[in-house]
Amino acid sequence: MNYSKELQDLDFAYKVRRALNESAEGLPAPTLDRLAQARKAALARKKPDAGAKVHVFSGVLAGTNGFSFSGPSNWLGRLGIIIPLLALVAGLAGIYQHEKEQRITELADIDTAVLVDELPPAAYVDTGFTAYLNKAEE
């Protein structure tokens, strides 16, 4: 149901209740007495509330249809928690190793490019060499 429709319905219900209350104040006393007697008779005939029967199973997991891991086979419940945690730890360790190897490979590629180049490694550290490279680019 639409939210604005619900508000309109609620507003209409309040208006009806207010109109009924205002008109009830103008009713004659005999009519009010008859309405009060009719209400008492209706309440006397009302069936007593029979409590609803609710079956409660302790330790039931959602969607297990009454089967739970509690009781004598409690190790199944613990195993159901430990296995995913171990899988998570193994996955995180694998991702860490992969990233570490990738970083080592990238550094090795940079080292190889520097060593294969015609310039000695000391030239890259020399500030005068960077000035020479900037001058050579012009």
Side-chain angles (χ1 to χ4, degrees), residues 15-68:
K15 287 178 181 177
V16 168
R17 184 180 74 178
R18 190 172 346 123
L20 288 173
N21 286 340
E22 288 173 1
S23 65
E25 292 173 1
L27 291 174
T31 306
L32 289 176
D33 291 339
R34 281 190 322 202
L35 286 173
Q37 289 173 357
R39 184 174 191 280
K40 286 179 186 177
L43 288 175
R45 280 188 252 139
K46 181 185 171 211
K47 294 180 182 178
D49 287 335
K53 293 183 181 180
V54 178
H55 298 286
V56 178
F57 300 103
S58 63
V60 176
L61 299 175
T64 59
N65 211 10
F67 176 76
S68 73

Side-chain angles (χ1 to χ4, degrees):
M1 188 181 271
N2 194 350
Y3 183 70
S4 62
K5 176 73 171 145
E6 289 178 7
L7 285 178
Q8 289 174 354
D9 290 345
L10 190 61
D11 187 42
F12 177 73
Y14 285 139
K15 287 178 181 177
V16 168
R17 184 180 74 178
R18 190 172 346 123
L20 288 173
N21 286 340
E22 288 173 1
S23 65
E25 292 173 1
L27 291 174
T31 306
L32 289 176
D33 291 339
R34 281 190 322 202
L35 286 173
Q37 289 173 357
R39 184 174 191 280
K40 286 179 186 177
L43 288 175
R45 280 188 252 139
K46 181 185 171 211
K47 294 180 182 178
D49 287 335
K53 293 183 181 180
V54 178
H55 298 286
V56 178
F57 300 103
S58 63
V60 176
L61 299 175
T64 59
N65 211 10
F67 176 76
S68 73
F69 291 119
S70 63
S73 61
N74 196 12
W75 63 272
L76 285 174
R78 290 185 183 147
L79 193 63
I81 293 173
I82 292 173
I83 289 177
L85 287 177
L86 288 176
L88 176 68
V89 169
L92 290 175
I95 290 171
Y96 174 75
Q97 282 298 110
H98 175 72
E99 292 295 325
K100 186 177 173 183
E101 288 176 11
Q102 202 170 22
R103 178 74 177 147
I104 290 172
T105 304
E106 289 173 1
L107 291 175
D109 289 343
I110 292 171
D111 289 346
T112 303
V114 167
L115 292 174
V116 171
D117 198 14
E118 296 174 0
L119 296 173
Y124 290 102
V125 181
D126 186 14
T127 56
F129 180 69
T130 39
Y132 169 75
L133 285 179
N134 290 338
K135 196 182 246 186
E137 288 178 5
E138 295 175 359

